[in-house]
Every structure is written in structure tokens, then in C-alpha cells.
Amino acid sequence: MFFWTGFDYRGESNPFGFPAVSFAVRTHDTCGFPKDSYFYLKSWWTDAPVLHLYPHWNWPEKIGQEITVGCFSKYEAVELLVNGVSLGKKKCRVTVTSNGKPFINRLD
């Protein structure tokens, strides 16, 4: 896997075209905050514990609507709690990368 740059940057607007003024498909935004793709790669290539939920769900226009939640994790199972109430638990399938590192590639 190759990334030309790890940070979004102003300049090329590919693949979006005008009026976009930045290239915004990298692992960190222009302020240096990690994006979802950062946690995806971290779950593959580090030994650090990883649990990242996406997308954010603080959209005022989505109040009362169902939002599909995904996660990147190195744990064997993930349980989603909202206000202390379980919305379900999923077991994760562990796969091994080409360099022998375990990672979770999907929830069963």
C-alpha cells in the first residue's frame, strides 16, 4: 500500500475538481488530526490496541434517523453501547498480514 502523502493538502483537487481546492483523501486532515483511514492502517500495521468507530454521528439533521456504524479494531469482539444500553455485540474475524501481524478485517 502506497500513500503519496499522509496529510491532506491544498493544491491538487483530484479527484473532485473545481471548486475543490485541496486533496483530501489521506490519513490526516490539514490540521493534523487523524481520519478514519489512519485507524484502518493502524489496526493493520501496529501492535497497539485499536478501536475506532465511524462515522461521527453528531449531525443535527440526522436526529432520530438510523446511522450505520462501522469500526476498525484489533479486539476479538466489539459491543456498541449507546447511553449504557447495548445495541449488539459482534465477533471479529482475525486475519494475518503478509508480515505476520494479526488484524481484524470484518465483523461476523
Side-chain angles (χ1 to χ4, degrees):
M1 184 176 295
F2 174 78
F3 285 94
W4 178 257
T5 177
F7 288 82
D8 292 347
Y9 58 91
R10 293 182 59 86
E12 301 172 66
S13 61
N14 293 334
F16 307 110
F18 184 81
V21 295
S22 65
F23 195 65
V25 294
R26 297 299 165 219
T27 61
H28 290 74
D29 67 17
T30 53
C31 292
F33 295 107
K35 296 170 29 176
D36 294 334
S37 58
Y38 166 82
F39 295 99
Y40 172 73
L41 294 172
K42 185 175 179 179
S43 70
W44 273 41
W45 301 108
T46 71
D47 293 325
V50 177
L51 177 60
H52 175 71
L53 298 178
Y54 63 91
H56 69 83
W57 48 82
N58 56 350
W59 296 309
E61 65 274 9
K62 298 254 185 192
I63 291 176
Q65 297 180 30
E66 190 172 294
I67 296 175
T68 301
V69 177
C71 77
F72 300 124
S73 175
K74 291 188 87 77
Y75 296 99
E76 293 179 8
V78 176
E79 183 175 13
L80 180 61
L81 302 169
V82 175
N83 297 326
V85 177
S86 176
L87 297 181
K89 187 175 187 177
K90 298 274 186 170
K91 289 187 177 186
C92 302
R93 186 182 321 161
V94 177
T95 308
V96 178
T97 63
S98 60
N99 68 345
K101 296 209 179 259
F103 73 98
I104 307 301
N105 70 346
R106 64 172 291 198
L107 298 173
D108 289 331

